[in-house]
Each structure stands twice: as C-alpha cells, then as structure tokens.
Amino acid sequence: MLDQFGIKSALNRLGIEEENKGTCTGDIWIETKETYLGSFSPADGELIAKVQLTDKQSYELVVKQAQEAYKHWRNVAAPQRGEVVRQIGNALREVKSDLGKLVSYEMGKSYQEGLGEVQEMIDICDFAVGLSRQLYGLTMHSERPGHRMYEQWHPIGIVGIISAFNFPVAVWSWNSMIAMVCGDVCIWKPSEKAPLSGVACQHIIAKVLKENNLPEGISSLIIGDYKVGEYLSHDTRIPLVSATGSTRMGKLVAQAVGGRLGRSLLELGGNNAIIISENADLDIAIRGALFGAVGTAGQRCTSTRRLIIQDSVYEEVKSRLVSAYGKLVIGNPLDEKNHVGPLIDTDAVKMYQDAISKAKVEGGKELVVGGVLEGKGFESGCYVKPCIIEAENHFEMVQHETFAPILYLMKYSELEDAIAMQNGVPQGLSSAIMTLNMREAERFLSASGSDCGIANVNIGTSGAEIGGAFGGEKETGGGRESGSDAWKAYMRRQTNTINYSDSLPLAQGIKFDI
Ligand code: UN1
C-alpha cells in the first residue's frame, strides 16, 4: 500500500528511511541506547517506518548544544533571523505536496487537510518574517527630567515544544518560527503517534540552517512519549515549555513547569459549540457545522462538538444535518473522493465507542448512528462513522472532550440560555454563532457573551487563520500561540531607564541628600 498514492517516493524525497534516528541537533543525528518506535498509518494499518527514541544521555547532548547555539543566535540581528525563516518558508513550499501526503498518511487527515496544514506552516513563516522587523517595545515618559524610559524585548532562551498528533507539524511551526525570529532556540518533541512528520521537518529545516552556516542546536528534535516530555518540563535550563494536547497532560506540564517557576504556554482541550439562531443563513450554518464536526474526523481541538439550536429551527436543522451526514464518504484519507478518514488509532476508536454508549446511558438519543467500519479498505480498524446524538448540556459525556466525530445537539429558546450553555463546560477554546441579526451577533461577542479564546460569527469553530492569537480559556490552558502579539510569550521584557541629566533625582520625589 506504501506505493499507492506515491507515498514511497514522497518518503524518499523527505529523507525518511526504514529506520530513522530520532534525536537531532540540526543536521547531526545522535544514536541512542533506546529502541525503535514503529509509526503505523491509521489509513491502512501498515508500518510506515521506525524512529529511535531519545534517551536521557542524548537529551543532555541536545540541551548542551542548544545552550551553545543560543549564545550565537540571540546576537544575530532579528531581521537576519527572519531571513532564515523566509528560506524555511520557501523550502516548505517546495515540499508542500510530499509533506502534506506524509501528514495525511501518518495521521489520517484528508490529503486536502494535510496540504492545508503545510500551508499553515508557510503562512506562519511569512508572518514571522514580517515580525522580525517589528518585535516592538513601548516608550514611556519619565517623571524625572533628563531621563528616558522605554522597554525592549529580548529572547528568552531554549523553548521546549511538545506537540500533538492531530496537527503534527503546523503547531510546531507556530511555536518554532515565532521563537526563532525572537532569538530563541527550540527543542521539539513531536507526538509519538506521528514522529515521522517530525523527522521530515527536521530534515527540511536542517538543510536551510546548514546553508546559512548556522551552528547545530538552533532547532533540535527529540522523540518519545510523556517521559521525554518530562525531561523538558522539569528542566530548569528550559525557561518556556509550550505544550499542545489533552487537559490531563497540560495539568502535569503546568505543575512541573510552575513548580520551578518556569513559563508554560498551554493549548489544551476544547469543547466547542455553534449556536444556530432562527436568524441564521441555514445553508452556511449546516456547512459550517458539518466541516466543524467531521473535518479531521473530529480530531481538531477546534472541532465542533455541540450544536445549540433555537427551537423554531431545530427540526429543520436536524433533518438537513442528518441528510448531509448521509452523503459523507468515509475512507482512505489520501483518496480525494473521501470526506472523512480514520481516527489516529484503535485506542481512540475505543474512546469513541465508550463515549457513545455512555451518552446513551445518560439519556442521549442517537440520531445518526455511529459504529466502527469493517471490511475492505477498513482493515486498520480505525475508521468510524460520524454520529449525531441529541443530548443535554449537563451530561458527563457532553462536558467531556472526546477526540472523535460525535456531535451533540441541543435546543434553546432565548439567546441568554444558549450563551449560558455554550459557556457551561470546563473548556474555553472556540465558539461560534450563526445569525444574520446584528444584535445577537454582538451580544455573543460582548463581555457577557462567549467566554472562549475564539468567538466567530457565521463561521464554524475550526479553521482559524494564523494571523490571530490562537488559544483559549479555562481548561484550554490560557496560552496564545501563532499570530497577533503571541510572540511576547517567547521573549522577556526589559524596562530601561536612562539618565542623561547632570543630577540624580529619585523617583517618587524621594529626598536622599548627604
Ligand atoms: C489544533 O487542533 O490543535 O483552527 C489546532 C484550526 C487549525 C488549528 C487547529 N487552524 O482548526
């Protein structure tokens, strides 16, 4: 099956071999004493290739090299650092289809979404290049005559990046491209469920760094599960750990990093809802809800998990959705006629099944029946049917993020109630309202509206652009990545006051004469 859809040649061009080392400081790959981890495609269950895990000793080498590299990189002018990131963006343009294909095959999202993910990397490179000529600080007026006061932003040091399987490459690039123009160096632990995508990115970036005669250690790779993640979170040499994944994982990272007073930047679970008002354009509402719920097989942190529908249009939305679900084609993500690919692995399938049965025990009614697909093309055991369940917001399963295509439907009559339901979950990542009524839209966006980091009008909950700050509140972890001024998380602020007068007046008018 590797030959089908040109996977084999794409792997070749990306530098992926049957057995790959997994620990790298740039261009130098380090042999460790650890075993090799197999990466299996959820599309067909086949072993794609193996990657060697990082051990403590090789981790130490990586950190030492990163420390050395930082001494150099922090003094390279920011626009020069931007120039390197510009070249990385161009290198990504060249491999867009190969990398998109690997992401799709290793993770299971559709090829179109794989391409979209690489585009997101290219976009953040462009953004970071522009940023490299900005990174603005403010100037303030000093209360003392002959004094100047301003603030400037300096790099922070080594940034540890822990990324999740569902966006195996884009979320790394949001962090590392911004961190790089900020003057930081990065150590990346990709998800152990999609390690080859990490190895491929390391090859791409290493070539650019080498062509620019840059030292080893600016962008490093380590491979492993939570144990390797713990190396990063407990390491006082790593001032910032950016972690994407489950709320459970995020709490552990936050405690470890917080315990040493380091900084963590967390992008964790979502439980995103769309409110569909009777004033909505229902064509847009149905399409937005459909892509939000079944895109990436419901495995985005921005996936739509709940639809809160006004009672007067409830029946219409319900029947149009049910008929749209009937048209979904499920199958190999590389085959462009399919809309929905597999879940990441059979553990995820089990969680999907459990969630459906528990929601039913709680009183949920399955409108579009879920289930695991079997037979030809579904041998990996990872393909499931997107399902719709009528439920109530307080159900334990509705309160919980299940990374699968399960959509819960509920009813409201007053907008206040809909907003309370939308906010009535522990997570706070993304949200949306579908309405053409300006008052409803603005109420949803106001301080007493959505409590999420992302709030959209007439757009679904997923598919954010890189230009905005990405992240959310409550159990989503509070971090902001990607665009806007998210770069500030990767730098340290320094306030500078300069006295150019011929005396030394003290602030607050304090007298201290001798
Ligand atoms: C994620 O699921 O972790 O907004 C990131 C989106 C994508 C990023 C999702 N641009 O859906």
Side-chain angles (χ1 to χ4, degrees), residues 120 166-167 171 174 244 267 299-302 461-464 470:
E120 208 160 326
N166 65 334
F167 273 79
V171 173
W174 293 353
T244 307
E267 199 256 281
Q299 298 171 104
R300 292 192 189 208
C301 51
T302 52
T461 55
S462 64
F470 185 92

Side-chain angles (χ1 to χ4, degrees), residues 114-334:
L115 291 176
E117 176 154 3
V118 183
Q119 187 57 46
E120 208 160 326
M121 303 173 82
I122 296 168
D123 294 343
I124 200 75
C125 286
D126 287 354
F127 181 91
V129 176
L131 190 64
S132 72
R133 290 187 181 268
Q134 301 175 52
L135 305 173
Y136 303 130
L138 299 170
T139 62
M140 301 87 186
H141 286 270
S142 169
E143 65 189 48
R144 289 168 282 185
H147 282 59
R148 187 164 74 82
M149 187 157 62
Y150 76 110
E151 66 184 17
Q152 57 176 335
W153 293 86
H154 288 310
I156 193 174
I158 305 177
V159 178
I161 302 166
I162 299 173
S163 62
F165 77 84
N166 65 334
F167 273 79
V169 291
V171 173
W172 161 70
S173 71
W174 293 353
N175 284 281
S176 68
M177 296 305 126
I178 301 291
M180 274 178 78
V181 298
C182 290
D184 299 324
V185 297
C186 302
I187 301 177
W188 177 26
K189 188 195 90 61
S191 166
E192 67 276 22
K193 295 179 181 177
L196 298 173
S197 297
V199 171
C201 287
Q202 187 69 24
H203 285 304
I204 296 161
I205 195 168
K207 191 161 170 279
V208 176
L209 295 172
K210 205 172 172 187
E211 280 164 4
N212 286 275
N213 294 317
L214 288 166
E216 290 286 308
I218 289 178
S219 188
S220 305
L221 185 76
I222 53 177
I223 299 284
D225 59 12
Y226 72 94
K227 288 184 230 106
V228 175
E230 280 177 359
Y231 296 164
L232 291 172
S233 53
H234 287 97
D235 194 335
T236 49
R237 296 166 295 182
I238 313 235
L240 170 64
V241 178
S242 171
T244 307
S246 67
T247 295
R248 200 186 61 81
M249 176 281 296
K251 283 182 180 167
L252 294 172
V253 170
Q255 279 163 20
V257 178
R260 59 177 172 87
L261 297 184
R263 282 193 208 170
S264 52
L265 199 171
L266 302 172
E267 199 256 281
L268 312 173
N271 193 345
N272 319 298
I274 301 180
I275 297 173
I276 302 182
S277 141
E278 61 187 5
N279 299 308
D281 174 331
L282 288 187
D283 291 341
I284 288 182
I286 302 292
R287 283 181 54 205
L290 187 66
F291 180 73
V294 310
T296 329
Q299 298 171 104
R300 292 192 189 208
C301 51
T302 52
S303 290
T304 306
R305 314 227 172 266
R306 299 175 294 143
L307 286 189
I308 305 168
I309 308 163
Q310 198 156 21
D311 39 19
S312 51
V313 288
Y314 185 82
E315 289 306 322
E316 184 180 354
V317 170
K318 185 166 117 177
S319 71
R320 288 181 65 176
L321 259 180
V322 171
S323 100
Y325 267 58
K327 295 188 193 117
L328 289 173
V329 189
I330 306 163
N332 193 313
L334 287 160

Side-chain angles (χ1 to χ4, degrees), residues 424-441:
V425 290
Q427 311 82 350
L429 179 56
S430 186
S431 60
I433 188 167
M434 298 287 181
T435 181
L436 301 177
N437 180 304
M438 186 266 254
R439 287 183 184 154
E440 282 187 334

